[in-house]
Amino acid sequence: MAQLGSVGFAFFAFCALILTAVSAGPSSRLPAESLPVPRLSVNLDSPAEERWGPALHHWNLTKMRTLFIGTIEQMVPKEALPLVDQLGDVLDELLPAPYSGEIRGVAKTIGIGVGEMAFINMIYDFTAACTSIVAQDANGTIWHGRNLDYGFSTSLSNVTAIIDFKSQGKTVYTTTSFVGQVGVFTGMKPNKFTISLNERDQGGVFKNVVELLKAILLKEVKFTTFVLRDALANDNSFDEVVQRFTSQEEVAPAYLIIGGIKPGEGMVVTRGRETTIDVWRLDLSGNRWFLLETNYDHWVPPPKSDDRRDPGNKAMNAVGEKSINNNTMWNVLSTQPVLNEDTIYTALMCAARPEIYSTRLRKLPDH
Ligand SMILES: *[C@@H]1O[C@H](CO)[C@@H](O)[C@H](O)[C@H]1NC(C)=O
Ligand SMILES: *[C@@H]1O[C@H](CO)[C@@H](O)[C@H](O)[C@H]1NC(C)=O
Ligand SMILES: *[C@@H]1O[C@H](CO)[C@@H](O)[C@H](O)[C@H]1NC(C)=O
Ligand SMILES: *[C@@H]1O[C@H](CO)[C@@H](O)[C@H](O)[C@H]1NC(C)=O
């Protein structure tokens, strides 16, 4: 069976290419400024096909349509477009409810094909480079921060939002998402846990997007962003999420960064396709008061060409256990190259203090 994590690798090469072709100049726009993102609601009590409508209408849907179609045209060769359409035909076999229904509803609202919207959602699963940090302060409070780095479309910053998923008027969970993205990279279940997903590269088996599309249609590909959403919907404690991601549930190779509400509840789970490869936990007795994960296994040195880990660790240690909070974590996540040209947003979370949840754009929208 095809190895999944490879997809990320293939895409990175692919995306770097697009980026070189499109961007004006390197390092020209490292963001000193940041911008807030809109905070919107999705009502879980509405039918899946309808629940994204109000959030989507926050944007100009004509522009959003152009953005998504443009992304697909950049990524998929013309002769492979029928494969994208096929995704729409078999969506219910590929993704469980409510995700297939939600994607159909989003596609309809935006006015693009179901296959196209499914493709956009599936691509998200493989293309997020990131830095995530979970830390415990001197008081025992758990803080969780993340930068989401995304190489291939600067326009995604335009459609980033904090989404409160509500039922009976109450927030069940909160995420930071690209609108139209039904799966989750970053989220919080208030007073229960916080979670973020970092991609894990493993070298190339899927050489290109056509090969990936074929593997998806053959059901050889597992997705992780939808499992994160399942966790937010169904799990009610740090231990339950950890159990979900360390059990045999199939996900793409990935790093899951999980924070809870009690001292010691911070973990990085390194997942392979079928098994858990490593579990790395906060250990205050061993002076391990924070865990910082980028996109490489924590027990091997990061490549010199992409070392965000050592500068991040240095910045965390300079802050120290006594002073870590959302403000100081923002500063750590603003340290270069933890903050870099591809960073779309910085999110700060604390499950024990849900009001802290914030997301600011680092890559300011294009015109
Ligand atoms: C939405 O964007 C399109 C294309 O740029 C533009 O023609 C249209 O006037 C915009 N609609 C609204 C309501 O602003
Ligand atoms: C520890 O927690 C208490 C209660 O939440 C708070 O009042 C206090 O400021 C915290 N101390 C530190 C050092 O964060
Ligand atoms: C941290 O949280 C406090 C309290 O909600 C807020 O005033 C402050 O702006 C936050 N800092 C950042 C960097 O988001
Ligand atoms: C992105 O946002 C900028 C500024 O807010 C706006 O001018 C531009 O049209 C937007 N692009 C899309 C694709 O929505």
Side-chain angles (χ1 to χ4, degrees), residues 58-359:
H58 186 83
W59 277 271
N60 179 326
L61 295 178
T62 311
K63 282 189 183 165
M64 194 180 271
R65 181 173 183 276
T66 308
L67 169 68
F68 287 146
I69 301 254
T71 303
I72 292 167
E73 282 172 354
Q74 272 186 335
M75 297 192 89
V76 186
K78 246 202 187 80
E79 61 275 15
L81 289 174
L83 295 175
V84 173
D85 291 337
Q86 272 181 44
L87 290 180
D89 300 337
V90 296
L91 190 57
D92 287 306
E93 294 163 41
L94 299 175
L95 293 180
Y99 309 127
S100 42
E102 288 187 12
I103 288 173
R104 267 195 296 276
V106 171
K108 190 167 170 215
T109 307
I110 300 179
I112 69 175
V114 175
E116 290 173 313
M117 202 59 230
F119 176 76
I120 296 279
N121 268 275
M122 290 169 179
I123 282 303
Y124 285 150
D125 231 88
F126 303 110
T127 37
C130 324
T131 303
S132 291
I133 308 170
V134 60
Q136 179 171 328
D137 70 15
N139 240 355
T141 303
I142 307 292
W143 301 89
H144 189 156
R146 80 109 91 244
N147 278 355
L148 185 97
D149 301 351
Y150 208 80
F152 91 89
S153 179
T154 54
S155 322
L156 285 175
S157 49
N158 266 49
V159 294
T160 305
I162 296 176
I163 312 269
D164 290 314
F165 289 82
K166 295 192 171 179
S167 177
Q168 296 173 355
K170 252 190 84 193
T171 298
V172 185
Y173 50 95
T174 299
T175 71
T176 300
S177 303
F178 302 133
V179 167
Q181 177 192 14
V182 163
V184 173
F185 291 138
T186 309
M188 168 184 73
K189 190 138 188 183
N191 301 306
K192 306 279 197 273
F193 62 87
T194 52
I195 186 161
S196 60
L197 167 68
N198 287 12
E199 186 220 17
R200 181 167 182 253
D201 282 349
Q202 295 201 111
V205 169
F206 292 104
K207 283 182 208 67
N208 55 46
V209 72
V210 179
E211 211 174 303
L212 169 68
L213 277 163
K214 287 181 177 158
I216 292 175
L217 287 165
L218 288 171
K219 305 198 189 94
E220 285 172 356
V221 174
K222 294 291 166 204
F223 301 103
T224 312
T225 58
F226 303 98
V227 185
L228 258 77
R229 177 109 179 254
D230 285 344
L232 288 163
N234 300 308
D235 297 344
N236 282 307
S237 68
F238 174 82
D239 288 338
E240 282 177 37
V241 194
V242 167
Q243 171 64 31
R244 178 182 295 273
F245 284 105
T246 53
S247 71
Q248 293 308 304
E249 179 149 23
E250 285 196 25
V251 296
Y255 304 103
L256 286 314
I257 300 85
I258 308 165
I261 51 168
K262 294 189 219 126
E265 289 186 343
M267 188 179 278
V268 175
V269 177
T270 301
R271 278 291 315 225
R273 183 185 163 88
E274 276 160 25
T275 58
T276 301
I277 292 171
D278 181 73
V279 162
W280 190 32
R281 191 165 180 153
L282 291 176
D283 175 10
L284 277 290
S285 65
N287 209 25
R288 197 193 292 146
W289 61 276
F290 74 91
L291 308 171
L292 183 147
E293 176 60 57
T294 61
N295 300 98
Y296 308 99
D297 295 343
H298 70 84
W299 58 94
V300 296
K304 286 208 168 57
S305 59
D306 181 25
D307 182 8
R308 286 163 287 137
R309 182 197 297 169
D310 291 316
N313 283 339
K314 202 171 145 208
M316 282 299 287
N317 282 314
V319 169
E321 192 180 345
K322 286 203 179 63
S323 307
I324 197 70
N325 59 32
N326 61 322
N327 292 315
T328 49
M329 200 176 274
W330 168 270
N331 296 338
V332 170
L333 290 167
S334 304
T335 310
Q336 293 178 28
V338 177
L339 176 70
N340 59 70
E341 283 192 299
D342 288 341
T343 306
I344 293 197
Y345 66 73
T346 298
L348 300 162
M349 312 185 272
C350 177
R353 294 178 58 191
E355 74 282 2
I356 294 284
Y357 197 104
S358 75
T359 302

